[in-house]
Amino acid sequence: MNTQARQYWILGTVVVAGLALGAACQTGGQTAPGAAAPADLASRTYVPVGEWDKYYAFLSGGQSGAVYVYGLPSGRYIRSIPVYEPRAGYGYANVPGTETYEMLAASGPMWGDTHHPILSESGGDYDGKHLWINDKANSRIARIDLRTFETKAIARIPNLQATHGIAVVSPDTSYIVANGEFQAEIPQGRLDTDSYGAVMAFLDPMTLEPRFEVLMPGNCDINDSSKDGRWAFTTIYNLENAVTVEGMIQREEDAIGAVDIHAAEAALERGEFREINGVKVIDPTETTEKVLYVIPVPKNPHGCDVTPDGKYVLGAGKLSPTVTVIDISKIDQVENPRDAIAGQPDVGLGPLHTTFDGRGNAYTSLFVDSQIVKWNIEKAIAGDPTYVIDRVDVHYNVGHTQATLAETMHPTGEYLLALNKLSKDQYLPVGPTMPEAQELIDITGEKMTLLSSFPAEPEPHDAVFMLAEDLSPKVVQTEELTADAVPEDGSRVERVGPDEVHVYMTAIRSKYGLNDFTVKEGDKVTITLTNIETIRDMSHGFAVEGYGINLALDPGQTRKVTFVADKPGTHWYYCTWFCSALHLEMRGRMLVEERG
Ligand code: RUQ
Ligand code: CUA
Ligand code: CA
């Protein structure tokens, strides 16, 4: 750690210590782990062999660039969905020349930093169609099709640096809102520190292209939308517009920004925008109708969460021990924006994110206190001193927390996941880099019960859940044949030019459509491969020795790869997915003739 970094760390400690002294922290509940016996707890997360979990959990894979799928309550890891990573097999072959590789490479680097998975909604409930995930490091967003669990689109968002909070605009996914966390030049592309700004981008959910962007008075951190499609909210922690950590904590208050989407759409119609990098950018200081409302919130707020009934938006204080409750119906009714604040309960130290059970209770993660605090929203607004209902210790330093279906209008209020940043002593040590801890909490009762813990790769970020009964019937088992599929009798080699060859092949247990094919050294070879299996879970692979090629094909799927056959000789290709007793024999030869 260099001296400067050490100073920042010390500064962070000072800020937190100051809060600890100043915090009049309500402790209405007591710190008590579940009193139940371990065997009872275990039975509450046990899923017998052959049975399914009740919930899918989609977790952001942090710097791995993936989305992880777990089952809840068991905590069983089911699979990972490659998004911003060139993984061989499903999703991406890590060689140029495959569609999926090209999709990733066209949008930026071959890695990403994922934070926030969000699910598509219809009528305010999850419809099981799409999942989006941000890439903070490269200002991107991606869409995953939940029928196949495959990444279908990735785009870099113009005029924005560090895509952080993303949210679906409820109730019908009219936009995806993406936040720019870092202030930088707008337009980007030349050094001009005077023109720093940040935008909230309103994207087309399918193409991910911005339909418009709104210039914000500070940076944009975490966001959410109202349940009626009208408002997009963001926390702003750098209203100072500073470029150093010291500068970013100067003010006692930052803000929640509320963008009136209808007013923004009206501004677009009136032509009240500037076109920057091909995007319509609205400057809210120049519109006829008021587009942006700025509500003061203490201090460097983080989480931004709308209650399931759509009445309130909550800003978690981070450097203030409070959560600010804003009455959404008052935002455009009051002269003084502070009058839209319905309450500001103390909850504990380092509040980061809040989630809901649909029964009027909020659950806020406390990073510094390493706790989840359960509190009643209406009681807190009414000033009833018993608003804190319970606290449970988590291990340790919890960031996001999410309850089952809490982002919809109908949370199930059954489980809550605490996604902890540090596990310290919780698991077998595996070197200085420790896994992080995810803890499952039962929230069906008045008191919370900590049920179980399961590790995550550093670092676990956010999670969203779907009921298995809502999603599993929509997941396809075999892909539909596409127009470019190779038919059963269609395996062949076509020379299309003096140095260009197209190879078409099928794969079915336990044979490729061609036992061998011959090309010339230096030929550009395009292989089109179709898995013509029609039964579920019969995947085949296709790796070519020495060429760095590995495709994975689901039943019915067609994949292509283009490469230059620059190494003469015999190169076996073989199946990389164990598919039958003759799996090892499922292979063939690419014969590369020397050019004489
Ligand atoms: S942030 S720990 Cu990237 Cu989600 Cu709050
Ligand atoms: Cu096909 Cu192994
Ligand atoms: Ca600040």
Side-chain angles (χ1 to χ4, degrees):
M1 197 187 280
N2 65 33
T3 320
Q4 204 181 29
R6 188 169 284 130
Q7 273 169 2
Y8 288 169
W9 168 239
I10 291 166
L11 183 62
T13 317
V14 168
V15 169
V16 166
L19 278 170
L21 291 173
C25 180
Q26 294 269 357
T27 40
Q30 71 270 67
T31 301
D40 173 50
L41 295 180
S43 71
R44 285 153 78 176
T45 61
Y46 179 67
V47 176
V49 173
E51 285 183 24
W52 289 354
D53 275 289
K54 184 166 178 185
Y55 291 94
Y56 286 91
F58 296 95
L59 277 66
S60 55
Q63 305 95 319
S64 73
V67 170
Y68 297 133
V69 187
Y70 284 76
L72 292 185
S74 72
R76 293 190 293 206
Y77 165 75
I78 302 174
R79 70 164 293 195
S80 78
I81 309 169
V83 187
Y84 306 105
E85 56 164 347
R87 184 180 311 190
Y90 268 113
Y92 301 105
N94 59 356
V95 281
T98 57
E99 282 163 274
T100 47
Y101 179 101
E102 298 299 343
M103 174 174 66
L104 180 55
S107 63
M110 305 305 284
W111 68 280
D113 180 17
T114 62
H115 288 213
H116 303 116
I118 55 170
L119 293 165
S120 55
E121 293 176 16
S122 297
D125 289 311
Y126 295 145
D127 59 19
K129 289 185 180 160
H130 309 281
L131 180 147
W132 294 265
I133 184 100
N134 70 315
D135 166 19
K136 173 167 168 172
N138 305 297
S139 311
R140 288 183 287 190
I141 184 161
R143 179 173 56 78
I144 291 164
D145 187 333
L146 288 177
R147 285 171 308 176
T148 54
F149 283 50
E150 286 194 344
T151 305
K152 290 296 179 195
I154 304 179
R156 192 177 162 96
I157 306 171
N159 307 325
L160 173 157
Q161 213 170 95
T163 314
H164 196 213
I166 59 170
V168 158
V169 173
S170 299
D172 293 313
T173 319
S174 43
Y175 298 95
I176 303 298
V177 198
N179 272 359
E181 188 184 348
F182 300 160
Q183 285 117 321
E185 296 90 353
I186 300 178
Q188 296 175 356
R190 85 208 135 86
L191 186 63
D192 174 14
T193 55
D194 292 333
S195 74
Y196 279 11
V199 298
M200 272 179 103
F202 292 76
L203 312 175
D204 181 289
M206 292 303 288
T207 67
L208 309 179
E209 272 167 31
R211 295 211 198 121
F212 65 95
E213 294 177 344
V214 178
L215 273 175
M216 301 297 284
N219 75 329
C220 302
D221 190 17
I222 301 291
N223 58 17
D224 203 351
S225 78
S226 60
K227 301 297 184 192
D228 59 359
R230 176 165 174 203
W231 298 99
F233 304 106
T234 178
T235 44
I236 297 171
Y237 67 73
N238 186 18
L239 203 57
E240 296 91 342
N241 284 297
V243 292
T244 62
V245 61
E246 297 91 337
M248 291 177 204
I249 56 173
Q250 282 308 305
R251 298 173 51 120
E252 286 312 307
E253 283 179 330
D254 291 281
I256 279 190
V259 170
D260 183 335
I261 297 173
H262 297 165
E265 289 165 341
L268 289 179
E269 280 198 4
R270 282 192 298 265
E272 295 170 345
F273 60 83
R274 267 177 293 155
E275 195 147 316
I276 304 177
N277 273 326
V279 180
K280 295 170 178 157
V281 180
I282 298 172
D283 181 342
T285 63
E286 292 172 357
T287 54
T288 316
E289 254 177 86
K290 196 167 160 88
V291 166
L292 176 69
Y293 297 76
V294 179
I295 302 140
V297 170
K299 167 176 187 169
N300 288 49
H302 186 56
C304 181
D305 297 285
V306 171
T307 53
D309 58 13
K311 281 192 190 164
Y312 306 108
V313 55
L314 274 51
K318 192 166 78 184
L319 301 190
S320 152
T322 56
V323 173
T324 301
V325 182
I326 296 165
D327 184 334
I328 296 174
S329 70
K330 288 202 177 142
I331 293 174
D332 63 345
Q333 301 296 318
V334 292
E335 275 292 302
N336 180 346
R338 279 177 210 281
D339 294 338
I341 297 174
Q344 206 162 63
D346 275 356
V347 292
L349 294 183
L352 287 186
H353 293 277
T354 301
T355 189
F356 309 100
D357 60 11
R359 299 184 290 268
N361 302 308
Y363 300 77
T364 301
S365 59
L366 303 174
F367 180 83
V368 177
D369 279 342
S370 290
Q371 283 183 335
I372 301 292
V373 53
K374 174 182 179 181
W375 54 282
N376 183 274
I377 301 166
E378 291 300 341
K379 279 189 179 178
I381 291 171
D384 181 334
T386 66
Y387 65 90
V388 171
I389 298 166
D390 193 21
R391 294 174 187 274
V392 66
D393 288 333
V394 293
H395 313 85
Y396 301 89
N397 301 95
V398 55
H400 277 274
T401 185
Q402 190 73 254
T404 42
L405 277 54
E407 313 245 282
T408 71
M409 289 166 78
H410 304 98
T412 54
E414 196 168 5
Y415 299 106
L416 172 148
L417 200 61
L419 297 117
N420 309 327
K421 301 298 190 190
L422 300 168
S423 68
K424 296 179 185 171
D425 56 4
Q426 293 294 296
Y427 307 114
L428 291 173
V430 288
T433 301
M434 295 294 287
E436 313 308 4
Q438 302 171 131
E439 292 179 309
L440 188 70
I441 295 170
D442 184 329
I443 57 166
T444 53
E446 174 88 345
K447 300 276 177 197
M448 296 175 275
T449 308
L450 183 56
L451 294 177
S452 64
S453 148
F454 53 101
E457 290 282 332
E459 60 164 280
H461 245 283
D462 199 1
V464 276
F465 314 112
M466 265 199 82
L467 277 166
E469 63 183 29
D470 289 344
L471 181 54
S472 62
K474 297 187 171 153
V475 179
V476 303
Q477 302 273 336
T478 58
E479 300 259 357
E480 253 173 63
L481 290 177
T482 47
D484 55 358
V486 181
E488 197 172 344
D489 58 355
S491 295
R492 64 199 189 274
V493 183
E494 279 174 13
R495 177 159 290 278
V496 294
D499 15 65
E500 198 169 345
V501 177
H502 289 177
V503 179
Y504 301 88
M505 258 199 283
T506 56
I508 190 166
R509 280 156 298 161
S510 299
K511 205 170 166 54
Y512 293 109
L514 297 173
N515 289 324
D516 55 64
F517 63 87
T518 304
V519 298
K520 290 202 178 73
E521 180 185 0
D523 273 345
K524 186 174 153 202
V525 181
T526 299
I527 298 177
T528 304
L529 197 65
T530 299
N531 178 347
I532 56 171
E533 301 278 1
T534 53
I535 60 165
R536 72 175 177 192
D537 200 23
M538 250 324 138
S539 300
H540 294 287
F542 179 79
V544 185
E545 189 281 328
Y547 273 86
I549 291 167
N550 186 17
L551 306 175
L553 299 111
D554 287 331
Q557 196 167 35
T558 298
R559 288 200 190 276
K560 293 181 197 195
V561 60
T562 300
F563 60 96
V564 176
D566 52 5
K567 297 180 212 45
T570 298
H571 296 273
W572 285 92
Y573 46 89
Y574 75 98
C575 177
T576 42
W577 284 68
F578 211 111
C579 51
S580 74
L582 286 173
H583 157 75
L584 290 169
E585 290 81 352
M586 185 170 174
R587 55 188 167 111
R589 291 172 303 153
M590 176 171 76
L591 305 168
V592 184
E593 288 175 345
E594 269 169 293
R595 274 217 200 242

